[in-house]
Amino acid sequence: MTDPTDAPRNFPPSHLTPPDGAAATIGVPTEQVEAVTEAGARKGRILAWGLWDWGSAAFNAVVTTFVFTVYLTSESFGPTGTVEAQLGWALAIAGLFIAVLAPITGQRSDTSGRRKFWLAVNTYIVVAITLAMFFVLPEPEHLLLGLFLVAAGNVFFEFAGVNYNAMLVQVSTPRSIGKVSGFGWGMGYIGGIVLLLVVYFGFIQPEVGLFGVTSENGLDIRVTVLVSALWFGLFALPVLFAVPEYRSPAAVDRGKVGFFASYARLGRDIKRLWREQRNTVWFLLSSAVFRDGLAGVFTFGGVLAASVFGFSPGEVIIFAIAANVVAGISTIAVGTLDDRLGAKPVIMTALIGLIISGMLVFLLHDGGQIVFWTAGLALCLFVGPAQSASRTFLARLIPAGREGEVFGLYATTGRAVSFLAPTAFALFVTIGGAPYFGILGIVLVLAVGFVLMLFVKAPRA
């Protein structure tokens, strides 16, 4: 008899191969042949699903974190301080669009039974937007175009992420969901590092890079975004070919409604979720808080490395590469513990590790770069597992057929409190009078998330 924990929660098995006549002649049961065939197909789907994460790091690492936004806030586009503020406003507007639209786009992809289709549409809109960044020349009159492209890219990237996260239950089983989620997050970290190394040594670092590319007119950065767009577009293809479209009977039976009627349905669903699955709502709120703290670790890590510990720009990039490698490896490794112990113990342990490591960075800040290399990398050791386990915790709670909608709420709640870590960081720096006090702000956000998680019940096996 098949163990139910070895089958995807709500995904129909692929067509089984006909009985193997040769196997039957030597006494191998047909069921065994079919099981091996299905297991092989599932492994291929997991790899294909993880490659989307690997490719999407092109947008996370190159566009929004280390390369294009740094280029966009350079003096070529306007006075220091002004362009940073304008970038912040552009991302804030993007966050508002995501908060308002993410649950609706997820809900509509569920009911239409076209989750993979919308993953493809949103992914390649991001690819097209990234390609368009090539035309952002280092001139003040191109700033508005650059800000628009970054904001629009963030919106559609989040929409793609909603459908991508919802597909987790299609490529994993209740027994393997933690391992599969960790594999995806780890692929994202490591893929970002591989791409950063390629563009850094291929185009950015040398005076004359590959194909004769130089820094004149920002060509090195503009070519880098071209490479990133092609990288994302290429590695997004496997999941679209390998993982079948899924039409949940429960979702499709609800029928389609108009765009504005979707909000009325969303309101009713949230009320029902609060009434019947209040634990899920509490998790959405608590995870929003600690996930913002996790984002703060990477957002302000480079700032602290340079301003407090004296890292040069090149050393910051080297540390960023090391940090992502550590986060990627730990995330993949801890995925198995998620399946064995459950997601909540992994989240709580990771948050404790983050709080302790953050306090060490603060208390030992006079110790020089060795402190940041050790305690800072320890922080990164826990970030990935907390992110991955948060995704699997929610996936285990979602009613079948509503994955897109609830992961849309997951994106919305995260965006709704995205001001917490930056505000706490700035407030503590202001009160303390030195940048290293900002560490306490991030630790505080993580601690509040930890306390809120204490009241969330872990889903039963």
Side-chain angles (χ1 to χ4, degrees):
M1 181 178 294
T2 303
D3 186 339
T5 61
D6 283 331
R9 184 184 71 187
N10 63 358
F11 190 74
S14 61
H15 296 295
L16 299 178
T17 56
D20 190 316
T25 60
I26 58 174
V28 178
T30 300
E31 292 80 2
Q32 183 174 338
V33 176
E34 293 172 343
V36 170
T37 302
E38 176 62 19
R42 187 178 304 146
K43 288 180 179 179
R45 291 171 186 166
I46 292 170
L47 177 60
W49 181 80
L51 284 174
W52 188 94
D53 243 330
W54 171 284
S56 71
F59 188 79
N60 278 329
V62 173
V63 174
T64 63
T65 306
F66 296 118
V67 181
F68 189 74
T69 51
V70 175
Y71 166 71
L72 204 60
T73 53
S74 66
E75 293 182 354
S76 300
F77 291 91
T80 300
T82 301
V83 287
E84 288 87 351
Q86 290 176 318
L87 175 63
W89 282 114
L91 293 177
I93 294 171
L96 179 62
F97 274 96
I98 293 165
V100 172
L101 296 175
I104 299 303
T105 58
Q107 178 199 104
R108 294 174 72 81
S109 71
D110 287 339
T111 55
S112 68
R114 305 184 74 187
R115 184 179 295 160
K116 186 173 72 170
F117 170 80
W118 286 111
L119 172 64
V121 168
N122 290 310
T123 294
Y124 286 98
I125 289 176
V126 175
V127 170
I129 288 172
T130 308
L131 287 171
M133 291 176 185
F134 175 80
F135 300 101
V136 180
L137 299 173
E139 301 169 354
E141 52 267 32
H142 285 82
L143 176 62
L144 184 60
L145 172 62
L147 293 175
F148 171 78
L149 292 174
V150 170
N154 269 273
V155 171
F156 287 101
F157 185 79
E158 287 286 352
F159 290 170
V162 167
N163 288 287
Y164 175 73
N165 288 334
M167 292 177 73
L168 173 61
V169 294
Q170 295 176 220
V171 297
S172 64
T173 71
R175 180 175 290 174
S176 68
I177 190 170
K179 184 186 297 183
V180 173
S181 178
F183 173 73
W185 272 109
M187 289 283 281
Y189 281 120
I190 296 172
I193 292 311
V194 173
L195 179 59
L196 279 174
L197 288 171
V198 169
V199 298
Y200 182 71
F201 291 108
F203 302 105
I204 297 174
Q205 187 208 37
E207 290 186 12
V208 179
L210 298 174
F211 313 113
V213 171
T214 66
S215 61
E216 185 178 357
N217 254 349
L219 185 61
D220 52 349
I221 304 299
R222 293 160 53 217
V223 169
T224 291
V225 294
L226 284 183
V227 173
S228 301
L230 296 174
W231 178 281
F232 192 9
L234 176 64
F235 288 107
L237 288 174
V239 68
L240 303 178
F241 286 106
V243 180
E245 189 69 272
Y246 173 59
R247 299 176 64 86
S248 165
V252 176
D253 288 347
R254 302 180 75 194
K256 298 180 183 179
V257 296
F259 180 81
F260 293 104
S262 297
Y263 284 97
R265 171 180 281 180
L266 176 64
R268 293 192 297 269
D269 289 343
I270 292 175
K271 289 180 181 178
R272 189 186 312 117
L273 200 65
W274 174 256
R275 187 172 59 250
E276 299 174 0
Q277 291 188 297
R278 193 164 299 184
N279 192 55
T280 302
V281 179
W282 280 117
F283 175 72
L284 288 171
L285 295 174
S286 60
S287 69
V289 174
F290 73 71
R291 282 187 291 131
D292 193 51
L294 299 177
V297 171
F298 274 103
T299 301
F300 298 106
V303 174
L304 292 170
S307 61
V308 177
F309 296 93
F311 281 58
S312 67
E315 289 171 333
V316 170
I317 292 178
I318 297 300
F319 179 82
I321 292 172
N324 279 272
V325 169
V326 168
I329 293 174
S330 67
T331 305
I332 294 172
V334 173
T336 301
L337 292 178
D338 185 325
D339 293 322
R340 292 183 179 180
L341 304 177
K344 185 175 180 179
V346 173
I347 293 172
M348 303 303 278
T349 302
L351 291 177
I352 291 171
L354 285 162
I355 292 169
I356 293 173
S357 300
M359 289 304 300
L360 287 175
V361 174
F362 173 75
L363 295 172
L364 304 176
H365 67 273
D366 288 331
Q369 293 189 0
I370 187 63
V371 171
F372 197 77
W373 271 107
T374 52
L377 287 180
L379 276 166
C380 301
L381 190 69
F382 298 106
V383 169
Q387 290 173 320
S388 175
S390 179
R391 179 166 64 183
T392 63
F393 190 103
L394 183 59
R396 292 182 174 106
L397 293 173
I398 300 175
R402 292 176 59 191
E403 291 83 7
E405 176 187 324
V406 178
F407 270 113
L409 289 172
Y410 186 68
T412 292
T413 53
R415 286 288 177 166
V417 301
S418 60
F419 64 90
L420 286 177
T423 302
F425 182 89
L427 182 62
F428 275 84
V429 170
T430 302
I431 294 173
Y436 64 85
F437 277 93
I439 302 167
L440 294 179
I442 297 174
V443 168
L444 177 61
V445 174
L446 292 169
V448 172
F450 175 85
V451 172
L452 292 175
M453 271 299 296
L454 291 174
F455 299 97
V456 178
K457 297 178 182 178
R460 293 184 178 181

